[in-house]
Amino acid sequence: MAEARRRLKSGESIFFDRCVLRVSRGSWPFADAHRDQVERYWSDALARNPHIFNGVIYPLLDHGIDDDGFYGDYARSDFASYLYWRENGFCDPPTCDGFASVMLVSSHGRYLMTKAAPYTLNAGLWVPAGGMVDQRDVDADGMIDVWRYGLRELAEETGLTDADLLRQPGLQIARDGALIVYGLFCRARETEEAIIQRFRDHNESLIETPELDEVKWFSAKEILAGDLVPRFVRLLLQASPVGVDR
């Protein structure tokens, strides 16, 4: 990170016009140093939940912000290492979990939240569509297009595509502890009822077991009022992104 840049503080939520994400390392030093512990932990975790899969993931090793934008450096790793890190208190600062959340808002001003299936790690949580960076999101030069990545997650989880929404300029980025979320705000072109039906049709068409149980529209007031969603979602809504009314 450039010397003039600083890291986001936990609890901050800032609007950026520019977000530059890249994979700068071939491996995660923390995972390499704790490989034996990771493998033992993964064996136990798999016994508890055989639905989890040790695929390629990318932790955010470091990041910085300045007047020009947000900059993030990722490393290639595996889900087992990520889970060990997460379940042991995010024990490798300044490493963070940097992920996209698609904040889809309806014509009524409500936001689409998704509910994770019981056999997933986030079972029962209401969160926006989104998820972690994976190898499909990394270009040959190591760059990650945050909108392309976020919309891939939206399509996989709900069946909605870029053609079904109107993107808002820039993005809202918030930090909650070791979580850094890239809030991608957009407007739905279809009605709330049509979007719900699109999700149901998508889930029924999947050959593999769906990651989500259901989707639902919530007002910003409902989201901000209590513990309905994780704190990072509330942080995204504390400031109004350009072009999105709350």
Side-chain angles (χ1 to χ4, degrees):
M1 292 293 109
E3 289 185 6
R5 297 172 188 162
R6 69 170 179 87
R7 297 186 181 108
L8 273 177
K9 299 175 184 177
S10 184
E12 281 190 306
S13 182
I14 301 176
F15 182 83
F16 292 93
D17 289 315
R18 188 166 185 248
C19 179
V20 180
L21 308 178
R22 63 166 54 88
V23 177
S24 58
R25 297 202 193 186
S27 67
W28 184 9
F30 169 82
D32 296 338
H34 294 83
R35 183 52 53 194
D36 291 342
Q37 297 96 312
V38 167
E39 291 179 357
R40 288 195 296 270
Y41 187 87
W42 179 253
S43 179
D44 292 340
L46 194 59
R48 294 191 299 269
N49 184 355
H51 295 283
I52 57 178
F53 172 70
N54 190 21
V56 174
I57 58 92
Y58 293 83
L60 178 62
L61 262 58
D62 205 352
H63 72 279
I65 62 173
D66 59 24
D67 292 339
D68 293 326
F70 179 98
Y71 303 84
D73 290 330
Y74 283 81
R76 180 184 174 96
S77 190
D78 56 88
F79 185 72
S81 298
Y82 165 83
L83 187 61
Y84 175 81
W85 167 76
R86 190 183 86 163
E87 299 304 309
N88 282 277
F90 304 102
C91 51
D92 183 43
T95 299
C96 287
D97 180 358
F99 60 95
S101 285
V102 180
M103 301 294 289
L104 183 65
V105 62
S106 74
S107 59
H108 296 292
R110 288 190 284 260
Y111 292 86
L112 187 71
M113 295 291 126
T114 70
K115 187 178 181 181
Y119 46 81
T120 64
L121 289 178
N122 296 320
L125 284 179
W126 285 103
V127 295
M132 303 175 69
V133 176
D134 77 18
Q135 52 195 338
R136 293 169 293 178
D137 305 315
V138 182
D139 292 336
D141 59 0
M143 302 304 294
I144 300 166
D145 182 323
V146 67
W147 269 100
R148 189 183 68 203
Y149 142 52
L151 293 179
R152 173 191 61 74
E153 287 282 351
L154 178 70
E156 289 183 0
E157 294 183 356
T158 69
L160 301 172
T161 69
D162 200 6
D164 299 312
L165 51 88
L166 179 63
R167 301 188 198 185
Q168 302 301 300
L171 68 167
Q172 192 78 19
I173 303 182
R175 179 173 185 177
D176 179 19
L179 306 180
I180 292 182
V181 55
Y182 312 121
L184 308 177
F185 283 75
C186 46
R187 291 191 176 276
R189 294 184 183 273
E190 297 186 84
T191 65
E192 291 183 351
E193 294 78 9
I195 294 294
I196 296 293
Q197 189 58 52
R198 288 280 300 277
F199 166 76
R200 290 171 179 164
D201 293 343
H202 172 72
N203 250 22
E204 290 177 1
S205 72
L206 294 176
I207 298 175
E208 298 180 351
T209 307
E211 295 181 21
L212 303 178
D213 264 358
E214 59 179 309
V215 297
K216 188 175 180 180
W217 296 96
F218 292 100
S219 68
K221 184 177 180 180
E222 289 174 308
I223 292 171
L224 293 170
D227 297 328
L228 175 69
V229 299
R231 181 174 180 243
F232 73 79
V233 185
R234 299 195 296 275
L235 287 173
L236 288 178
L237 292 182
Q238 285 180 353
S240 296
V242 174
V244 175
D245 300 323
R246 294 215 314 258

